[in-house]
Amino acid sequence: MIDIALFDEHKLVLEGISGLLSGITDIRIVLYCDNRDVLTEKLKSMQIHVLIMNMHDISVRNLNLIVQLNITIPKLKILIISVIDSEEIVLKTIKAGAKGFLGKDSDRSSLLEAIYTLRNGHDYYSKSITHLLLNRYISSLKADEMNQNTDIGNLSSRQIEILKLWGESYTNQEIADRFFISVRTVESHKNHIMQKLNLKSTVDMVKFAIKNNIIEI
Amino acid sequence: MIDIALFDEHKLVLEGISGLLSGITDIRIVLYCDNRDVLTEKLKSMQIHVLIMNMHDISVRNLNLIVQLNITIPKLKILIISVIDSEEIVLKTIKAGAKGFLGKDSDRSSLLEAIYTLRNGHDYYSKSITHLLLNRYISSLKADEMNQNTDIGNLSSRQIEILKLWGESYTNQEIADRFFISVRTVESHKNHIMQKLNLKSTVDMVKFAIKNNIIEI
DNA sequence: CTGAATTTACGTGTTACACGTAAGGGATTT
DNA sequence: AAATCCCTTACGTGTAACACGTAAATTCAG
């Protein structure tokens, strides 16, 4: 048996969703709520599996509600329903901690699917959302590839070694000790790196090293 | 009419795919190729819409082939078929420039769907691939969120201003001039930032600033 | 083998950082 | 009203890092 809570500030929507779920034997709606202020308190006192929440807009209040619920009641899975399936709203709600999102392409069967999926501990996104996220991811993958391949190859292996340690906040002296060379030599290496890459400052050198996966953020 | 090329080093696979596509009136296989060395030349001399390529393994040769084809024949859409639908192979082929990927869950109808989708200029990924990519993206989104929210809020607006300029490789003197304050004050601000955030070096300060979107890479 | 690049290193002057100290202002608390 | 906390400003002093030039030994490729 799955216990559901419904939250929306319009009672009509509550009734509509409620109707869609009537007749399902293993789904039970145990809370209807149209008041944001009492929602958290009520949810805290009950053992609810899935909260279905309608997102009319992407207000900070809504996002905060999701974040707060995830903190106070981690077991509760939040399923978002929204007619607005813009990238922004989807990404922000997921980041806030929603475990499912039903876009405007969803029907009764995908609602049920989503509830069962969330109950089983997995995420659920309707088709349109899936496409949207996927496109975004793919293009970010491709963008990644574009931004690779600067001229790390021009640096010698020694120079990269130095850069790597320096990028982990070692002092020149520590680097010198590690390689059994003089501090002045470490300085020379860094000078050469700066000249070779035409960098103006050490800040730029950090950025370069990060871009080229020489150091981790 | 869509013109297709098939590439695989095993002739059996070529015949198998060919069989799946026979009887489709608007799809025409115009090139069967089992030899990597002549593939590019033949493709260059023909006007082919979709290349179907079987990926037995994720070798550099295969990935390079995709990259090279995308450079020399940009109009050509590459559709990958593979029984290995590991994350690695999928991500790498997509990054290399493949426009579609059919995992082991695919059947004849999804092959057709993929061909038409690619011909229309869109990407196509079979269900298992879609799930795989989506999970990866979602977890990266959530990881992002985890790594956010360090204690940027503890920095005063003045301190952030200083950090921002310094992160763009301005010298202390330049920053001082811009704000009509002493160089020593700029130093003080940076000292306070380091103390407050418990940073050991300026390298760490750059990393902090990047993590918290104060400066761009 | 020869020229170019790498690795090593120093000199000298400037800039940045570390750590402490401190005064004045604004906001909040007691 | 006084005490407290934080922010902004600033200095003193010593150390570390950087800028720029120079240079020798080594390595590497044409």
Side-chain angles (χ1 to χ4, degrees), chain B residues 180-198:
Chain B
F180 304 106
I181 56 179
S182 153
V183 180
R184 314 304 309 276
T185 307
V186 178
E187 287 176 2
S188 274
H189 280 302
K190 289 205 274 183
N191 282 336
H192 294 152
I193 292 170
M194 304 267 275
Q195 283 169 20
K196 192 181 277 187
L197 301 174
N198 197 29

Side-chain angles (χ1 to χ4, degrees), chain A residues 83-132:
Chain A
V83 288
I84 322 161
D85 47 359
S86 73
E87 277 193 44
E88 194 194 4
I89 199 167
V90 176
L91 289 174
K92 286 195 175 171
T93 49
I94 292 174
K95 281 193 179 185
K99 297 294 186 297
F101 200 114
L102 294 172
K104 57 185 164 195
D105 61 324
S106 307
D107 53 9
R108 182 166 179 269
S109 70
S110 55
L111 173 61
L112 295 176
E113 221 170 295
I115 292 174
Y116 291 123
T117 308
L118 258 64
R119 176 69 235 255
N120 287 330
H122 301 111
D123 293 1
Y124 184 94
Y125 308 100
S126 67
K127 273 211 188 87
S128 63
I129 306 301
T130 303
H131 273 109
L132 193 149

Side-chain angles (χ1 to χ4, degrees), chain A:
Chain A
M1 179 62 73
I2 307 178
D3 288 333
I4 304 280
L6 292 183
F7 171 65
D8 193 283
E9 284 171 319
H10 296 309
K11 282 190 178 152
L12 261 176
V13 179
L14 293 183
E15 289 170 17
I17 296 171
S18 165
L20 291 174
L21 294 178
S22 67
I24 313 291
T25 52
D26 55 352
I27 293 181
R28 180 171 57 183
I29 303 180
V30 292
L31 174 65
Y32 295 86
C33 186
D34 62 355
N35 183 343
R36 177 185 308 269
D37 298 326
V38 301
L39 179 64
T40 309
E41 285 313 310
K42 288 204 171 174
L43 287 174
K44 262 199 259 186
S45 62
M46 303 167 82
Q47 291 287 323
I48 286 173
H49 302 115
V50 177
L51 167 67
I52 300 175
M53 202 174 145
N54 187 15
M55 273 283 214
H56 303 97
D57 57 276
I58 193 177
S59 63
V60 181
R61 292 174 72 210
N62 284 332
L63 293 175
N64 271 345
L65 182 56
I66 298 174
V67 172
Q68 288 310 317
L69 284 175
N70 263 298
I71 294 169
T72 52
I73 318 167
K75 283 181 192 164
L76 181 73
K77 309 296 178 188
I78 301 173
L79 173 60
I80 303 295
I81 296 179
S82 180
V83 288
I84 322 161
D85 47 359
S86 73
E87 277 193 44
E88 194 194 4
I89 199 167
V90 176
L91 289 174
K92 286 195 175 171
T93 49
I94 292 174
K95 281 193 179 185
K99 297 294 186 297
F101 200 114
L102 294 172
K104 57 185 164 195
D105 61 324
S106 307
D107 53 9
R108 182 166 179 269
S109 70
S110 55
L111 173 61
L112 295 176
E113 221 170 295
I115 292 174
Y116 291 123
T117 308
L118 258 64
R119 176 69 235 255
N120 287 330
H122 301 111
D123 293 1
Y124 184 94
Y125 308 100
S126 67
K127 273 211 188 87
S128 63
I129 306 301
T130 303
H131 273 109
L132 193 149
L133 290 174
L134 206 56
N135 284 335
R136 203 189 158 81
Y137 184 43
I138 299 296
S139 41
S140 80
L141 280 180
K142 291 180 179 169
D144 264 18
E145 197 58 16
M146 300 286 276
N147 294 333
Q148 291 295 328
N149 303 331
T150 0
D151 28 21
I152 182 180
N154 289 335
L155 289 184
S156 72
S157 55
R158 191 57 147 183
Q159 286 164 345
I160 292 176
E161 280 182 316
I162 304 278
L163 192 49
K164 202 173 274 180
L165 285 186
W166 175 77
E168 292 169 24
S169 304
Y170 287 89
T171 63
N172 288 349
Q173 187 60 60
E174 288 169 330
I175 297 170
D177 292 345
R178 178 151 313 199
F179 293 135
F180 305 107
I181 56 178
S182 152
V183 181
R184 313 306 308 281
T185 308
V186 178
E187 286 177 3
S188 275
H189 281 301
K190 290 204 275 183
N191 281 335
H192 294 151
I193 291 170
M194 304 266 277
Q195 282 168 21
K196 193 183 274 187
L197 300 175
N198 197 29
L199 303 175
K200 294 186 297 294
S201 69
T202 54
V203 173
D204 287 338
M205 194 151 62
V206 180
K207 292 177 183 175
F208 172 87
I210 291 171
K211 265 195 294 200
N212 291 86
N213 299 316
I214 296 170
I215 63 175
E216 294 290 317
I217 299 187

